[in-house]
Amino acid sequence: MPAPSFRDYLYPPDHPRVAQIRGLDARSYAEAAKGDSFAGPMIEGWQTLYPEPFVGVTHDGVVREGLFTLAEARPGEEAPTSGMVTAAEKLMARASQEQRDRFGYAVDAHEWQSWANPEFMQHDTGLRLDEVEPPVRDAALALVEASLSVQGYTLVRNLMRINGFLGDVVELPALMNEYSYNFAVYGAPSETKPWGWQLFGHHVALNCLVAGTQLVLSPVFLGAEPDVIDAGPHQGVKVFKERIGWARELMASMPDALRNEARTYADMQDPAMPEGRLHPGDERHLAGCFQDNRIIPYEGVLLSSMPPESLALVDCLVEDFIAYLPPGPREARVREIREHYGEACVLLDWWLAGRGSLLLQATEPGGDP
């Protein structure tokens, strides 16, 4: 019997879910999504959250002062600021004045909070990369490349290619293609003063801020639907396979009592989940778009209670999840995370394979969505 394929879970071409939006572009679909039975209520909720001033995610509603400091990076932890500035200057030189006005914002602009990861556009921030000429698009991506690790940029570009592949498979290339992403710059590129950039769209959302030698990438959303390209010029691209394997090894490495504690719920959509624990857009992920001020209580197992072999696998997962950072900031982030292992928790709800949002059914092949 052949192994299951993501193609077994695609909506038929004439299914209303896809047929009724075929032919729409990004902006017309953004308007149509407001009346969709699935997306509409979610958009209404986001519209309520977006205007709120930024506070930050906490575990109890109280901001923890002094957790991060603004200072010169430690030796070996410096950001690639010079290369980022050079890339940003090339982008500015290639873009027209009208384009610079459109993608440029103040460094403290509220539009930082406009990022979203669905296939429909919630906020038309900055430029759409599929609407600009290739030299400007490529210069914007060169800035992204200058800010990430080699591994991180490769992953981001592969996720964008997967998005384009999915758009072709379901015949919606105007909505989902390799470059259907919004891009913006915040502040004036500088080697000393704070500035940054933002890239967001379906399954890719990056928010990068650099201040002198310090760099932060947050929030970040990297996903894939599907997680492999099985045809076309990029056939063979696969993503996230290692972390799925490590997560399974981690669960197998823990004693039964710890494993049961780490698995917070027995089922993916468990009746025991309290109201709000399962979000229609984010599923079990609690810090998605427009959730900047969410209170997220600790869940799962304290790392300090785990055996050494399990903790080593946590190290692998942590390093894989932040591998998009350039070498210096990645070293800083690993250090920061490990400094808090004594109060950090691990939980695994087995959402590792992602979710069917618009175009993959979340049921058995041929079933109803």
Side-chain angles (χ1 to χ4, degrees):
M1 183 176 179
S5 165
F6 76 88
R7 292 180 182 271
D8 299 327
Y9 297 87
L10 289 170
Y11 288 112
D14 59 349
H15 191 285
R17 188 70 173 165
V18 290
Q20 66 187 4
I21 60 176
R22 190 164 288 124
L24 299 182
D25 62 17
R27 289 178 180 78
S28 56
Y29 179 43
E31 189 62 32
K34 296 177 183 178
D36 181 78
S37 59
F38 172 77
M42 191 162 54
I43 292 171
E44 289 181 9
W46 286 342
Q47 289 174 333
T48 301
L49 292 172
Y50 177 60
E52 293 182 358
F54 176 81
V55 175
V57 172
T58 65
H59 77 277
D60 60 358
V62 179
V63 175
R64 186 168 174 179
E65 301 292 343
L67 189 60
F68 301 105
T69 58
L70 184 61
E72 288 294 312
R74 299 184 184 186
E77 297 182 355
E78 297 93 346
T81 313
S82 178
M84 293 173 62
V85 170
T86 298
E89 290 173 345
K90 290 180 179 178
L91 168 61
M92 300 299 176
R94 290 185 182 180
S96 67
Q97 183 62 56
E98 180 182 358
Q99 289 170 329
R100 291 195 295 272
D101 290 342
R102 180 158 178 78
F103 72 64
Y105 297 86
V107 71
D108 58 351
H110 189 74
E111 282 80 3
W112 274 115
Q113 296 174 244
S114 68
W115 73 271
N117 54 278
E119 66 283 340
F120 55 84
M121 184 171 58
Q122 178 69 7
H123 290 279
D124 191 13
T125 302
L127 294 177
R128 292 281 292 184
L129 294 184
D130 60 355
E131 296 178 346
V132 299
E133 55 272 25
V136 175
R137 179 197 69 204
D138 294 345
L141 290 175
L143 173 54
V144 175
E145 182 177 16
S147 311
L148 303 179
S149 67
V150 173
Q151 179 181 352
Y153 185 67
T154 299
L155 174 60
V156 168
R157 291 295 287 117
N158 279 338
L159 297 178
M160 294 170 68
R161 293 180 182 114
I162 288 174
N163 188 58
F165 169 68
L166 180 61
D168 289 339
V169 167
V170 297
E171 302 174 19
L172 293 172
L175 299 183
M176 293 188 301
N177 58 72
E178 185 177 346
Y179 302 109
S180 55
Y181 295 86
N182 284 61
F183 179 83
V185 174
Y186 294 84
S190 166
E191 294 197 29
T192 56
K193 296 179 181 180
W195 66 283
W197 56 264
Q198 179 183 65
L199 175 74
F200 68 86
H202 192 214
H203 286 159
V204 174
L206 297 167
N207 295 273
C208 179
L209 178 69
V210 63
T213 55
Q214 283 192 314
L215 178 147
V216 174
L217 270 163
S218 182
V220 169
F221 185 103
L222 299 174
E225 184 186 34
D227 64 355
V228 61
I229 296 178
D230 66 0
H234 301 296
Q235 182 176 358
V237 167
K238 298 179 181 179
V239 293
F240 302 136
K241 301 300 185 183
E242 292 84 0
R243 68 179 57 172
I244 293 173
W246 283 325
R248 288 172 173 160
E249 287 184 45
L250 173 59
M251 290 296 279
S253 73
M254 288 190 284
D256 290 346
L258 283 181
R259 184 164 55 249
N260 291 335
E261 190 178 348
R263 185 182 291 117
T264 52
Y265 297 99
D267 297 315
M268 293 281 281
Q269 298 187 30
D270 200 301
M273 291 177 177
E275 184 178 357
R277 185 59 178 81
L278 186 67
H279 185 274
D282 300 328
E283 294 281 342
R284 285 147 296 281
H285 173 45
L286 296 178
C289 54
F290 310 107
Q291 301 286 349
D292 307 275
N293 304 329
R294 184 149 188 171
I295 297 173
I296 305 177
Y298 287 117
E299 292 181 314
V301 178
L302 276 171
L303 296 186
S304 57
S305 68
M306 298 174 69
E309 59 270 23
S310 299
L311 200 56
L313 288 164
V314 171
D315 287 338
C316 290
L317 281 167
V318 167
E319 291 179 9
D320 188 65
F321 267 86
I322 63 171
Y324 51 77
L325 285 165
R330 184 167 66 246
E331 288 297 316
R333 192 62 180 144
V334 168
R335 172 181 55 78
E336 291 169 346
I337 291 171
R338 289 178 178 167
E339 285 174 353
H340 294 279
Y341 266 12
E343 56 183 305
C345 295
V346 162
L347 65 95
L348 291 173
D349 278 333
W350 293 113
W351 48 274
L352 298 165
R355 57 175 294 271
S357 55
L358 171 70
L359 303 163
L360 294 183
Q361 302 177 47
T363 59
E364 293 302 314
D368 292 328

